[in-house]
């Protein structure tokens, strides 16, 4: 069974704030431009590959998945091929099916099993002000086709559990190419994303528990 990966440190970090006012000007210009471009990306479908490593695992664990994200915050996430885990958010209700034979569950948005995806896919608290409150951002690699931005957590408590996040973006474009989480114990979660596809027609059925 493919389980939904949880990264509690990320969620705690995104819900904490520091005393100093956020300095939006500290965001690297290439990343700031990319964030602005996200506002007009519309309704999209994206395939991805997930790789998890932990000190206890001898070999990395791989899984394929896909997600649909709407401009209004709705999303559907599927892990496995065919899907064995499905997460749906219709702007009001969070529903999770943890395996092919499991029943649908209705969860709170801050449930530890789904918080990471709620923040990432719904866009909540991923605005420039929230990011600069909780992370120091810097470019660690810049090439013609990609830029890697490291996000170092500011709250001292979080640094014990979360070393950093890395986002690999398309310079001058809208694509998120990769996302990596490095936790305090050395565990990693890596997501590599395919190109986004426009969602056409009425997508309402995607956000039903089916």
């Amino acid at each position: 069974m493919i389980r939904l990966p949880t990264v509690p440190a990320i969620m705690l970090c995104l819900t904490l704030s520091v005393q100093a006012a956020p300095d939006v000007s500290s965001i690297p210009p290439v990343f700031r431009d990319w964030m602005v471009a996200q506002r007009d990306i519309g309704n999209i479908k994206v395939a991805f590959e997930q790789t998890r490593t932990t000190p206890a695992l001898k070999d990395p664990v791989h899984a394929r998945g896909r997600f649909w994200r709407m401009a209004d915050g709705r999303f559907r996430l599927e892990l496995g091929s065919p899907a064995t885990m499905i997460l749906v958010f219709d702007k009001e209700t969070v529903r999770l099916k943890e395996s092919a034979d499991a029943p649908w569950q209705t969860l709170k948005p801050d449930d530890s099993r789904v918080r990471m995806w709620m923040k990432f896919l719904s866009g909540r608290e991923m605005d420039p002000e929230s990011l600069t409150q909780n992370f120091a951002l810097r470019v660690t690699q810049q090439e013609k086709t990609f830029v890697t931005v490291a996000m170092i957590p500011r709250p001292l408590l979080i640094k014990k559990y979360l070393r950093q996040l890395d986002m690999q973006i398309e310079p001058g474009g809208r694509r998120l190419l990769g996302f990596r989480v490095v936790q305090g114990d050395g565990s990693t979660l890596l997501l590599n994303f395919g190109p986004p596809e426009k969602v056409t027609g009425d997508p309402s059925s995607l956000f039903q528990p089916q």
Side-chain angles (χ1 to χ4, degrees), residues 4 37 81 83 110 127 137-138 156 160 166 177 179 187 189:
L4 191 69
S81 182
D110 62 351
D127 57 281
L137 285 74
R138 62 186 178 89
L156 294 177
K160 178 179 179 182
D166 294 306
L177 305 173
F179 183 68
S187 300
L189 172 68

Side-chain angles (χ1 to χ4, degrees), residues 47-60:
F48 65 90
E49 294 185 1
Q50 172 187 290
T51 302
R52 289 192 301 122
T53 67
T54 71
L57 291 174
K58 181 178 180 180
D59 299 307

